[in-house]
Amino acid sequence: MQNHSKLTIDIDTTELTPAQLRAIKTINMLMAHIVTTEDEADFFDGTAEVMRICASLVKQSKFCQGNSSIPYGDQALEFSIELLTELMESSSVVKYDN
């Protein structure tokens, strides 16, 4: 396996607000820290922060803003939590490595 020292991710930011762009950068930074840290507090706090920021971005999405009379953001988050809970309870590990 080849070891890479840097990963570059291209994202079209045309429709993103500055706050959304900062959140995405923070998520990427935190994910890199979470998968490399050996500190328990960093691991748990970082994981919680990533999930919090992801939830915030879902609720700020264009889809949710365009449909403000229906709490689609909350519904999407509840749906995601249910699926994650099922995966955790069945001890299923999802791998996206080809």
Side-chain angles (χ1 to χ4, degrees):
M1 180 197 292
Q2 187 177 11
N3 188 8
H4 298 280
S5 61
K6 186 174 182 178
L7 171 66
T8 302
I9 300 172
D10 289 325
I11 298 173
D12 181 358
T13 62
T14 307
E15 297 188 48
L16 299 178
T17 67
Q20 290 169 329
L21 186 54
R22 282 191 303 275
I24 291 169
K25 288 178 180 179
T26 300
I27 288 169
N28 285 322
M29 183 250 344
L30 284 169
M31 287 304 303
H33 183 69
I34 289 167
V35 299
T36 59
T37 189
E38 294 181 12
D39 182 76
E40 183 178 359
D42 282 353
F43 180 71
F44 279 91
D45 292 342
T47 301
E49 185 65 3
V50 165
M51 299 302 279
R52 185 193 68 76
I53 296 170
C54 286
S56 175
L57 283 173
V58 166
K59 293 181 90 167
Q60 293 175 39
S61 71
K62 183 183 241 183
F63 184 82
C64 291
Q65 302 305 314
N67 296 295
S68 59
S69 62
I70 300 172
Y72 282 120
D74 291 339
Q75 291 176 358
L77 292 170
E78 289 172 7
F79 176 73
S80 298
I81 290 168
E82 287 174 11
L83 289 178
L84 287 170
T85 300
E86 287 176 16
L87 286 172
M88 289 170 45
E89 289 172 353
S90 67
S91 299
S92 297
V93 176
V94 178
K95 290 187 179 183
Y96 294 102
D97 191 10
N98 295 348

